[in-house]
Amino acid sequence: AWAPDSDLWAAPSAILLDTLPPGFAAASRWKAQCEAFLRHEEYPLCCMGSGPDLSAVDVEITGRLLSSGAPRATLSGLFTVGRVVYLEEQRAHAVPETSCVVETGLLPVVCQCLASSCLEVRHAALTALVQLSRRSRPTAVMKSLPFLEQLLRSAAVPAMCWPGISKDAEKVLQNLGMS
């Protein structure tokens, strides 16, 4: 929901505010708030990519989003990862061997999202990991992460989370040969 105190409106609003005439009363106050948000290091902008590839800027931004610790920022980064993973498969018309999520070094950061206290973050991370665990290169990287099996086993306990989370965690464990 849009609200002037929400950080969801900052980037588009800053662009719109630039088009307002200089005499518009609230423009300077709103513009200052938008600019303050946009410069804030803890809340990076959303990824601007729209295809199955990530630019260097998108990789940097997505990495910052994923490691921010802020649930909404992390979800934004996970949405980007999920979109890329899905579009890679659509482009290949099959399950590709690897992913730009692996090649850019984002996979371990995605896996760390399973430690989040936010169930939505865990669910979004597992959605991507289910797809990635069907590919040979991401599977090899995931198996090499010393923390991942414990996070997956914790997420696989149905009483500890949403049923979809435990089901997806079990699927990843199965795909990795850890079940």
Side-chain angles (χ1 to χ4, degrees):
W2 183 90
D5 296 313
S6 167
D7 58 9
L8 298 175
W9 62 277
S13 295
I15 294 165
L16 286 173
L17 289 170
D18 282 338
T19 65
L20 293 174
F24 187 69
S28 63
R29 182 178 61 86
W30 290 347
K31 186 167 178 59
Q33 289 175 339
C34 289
E35 288 173 351
F37 168 76
L38 293 172
R39 282 192 304 264
H40 200 286
E41 293 297 312
E42 291 182 44
Y43 300 101
L45 293 174
C46 297
C47 171
M48 300 306 289
S50 59
D53 300 307
L54 292 173
S55 70
V57 171
D58 287 338
V59 170
E60 179 187 340
I61 291 169
T62 301
R64 289 175 56 204
L65 288 165
L66 292 172
S67 59
S68 70
R72 288 191 305 175
T74 305
L75 284 168
S76 179
L78 288 168
F79 175 81
T80 297
V81 168
R83 182 198 73 235
V84 166
V85 169
Y86 171 79
L87 291 174
E88 284 173 338
E89 288 190 15
Q90 295 301 305
R91 178 175 63 184
H93 303 291
V95 177
E97 292 300 309
T98 192
S99 169
C100 71
V101 175
V102 174
E103 306 311 322
T104 59
L106 291 173
L107 183 56
V109 186
V110 171
C111 293
Q112 284 287 359
C113 292
L114 294 176
S116 174
S117 61
C118 177
L119 293 178
E120 274 186 277
V121 168
R122 283 192 259 164
H123 184 254
L126 280 164
T127 299
L129 293 175
V130 165
Q131 297 303 314
L132 289 167
S133 68
R134 299 180 332 150
R135 305 177 188 186
S136 60
R137 177 83 174 106
T139 296
V141 172
M142 285 190 260
K143 285 181 173 182
S144 73
L145 299 173
F147 61 87
L148 184 58
E149 184 174 3
Q150 179 58 42
L151 288 174
L152 287 168
R153 292 205 182 283
S154 295
V157 178
M160 301 302 288
C161 56
W162 298 342
I165 291 175
S166 59
K167 182 178 167 184
D168 286 347
E170 282 292 336
K171 184 66 176 168
V172 175
L173 284 165
Q174 179 184 13
N175 290 349
L176 298 177
M178 297 178 176
S179 57

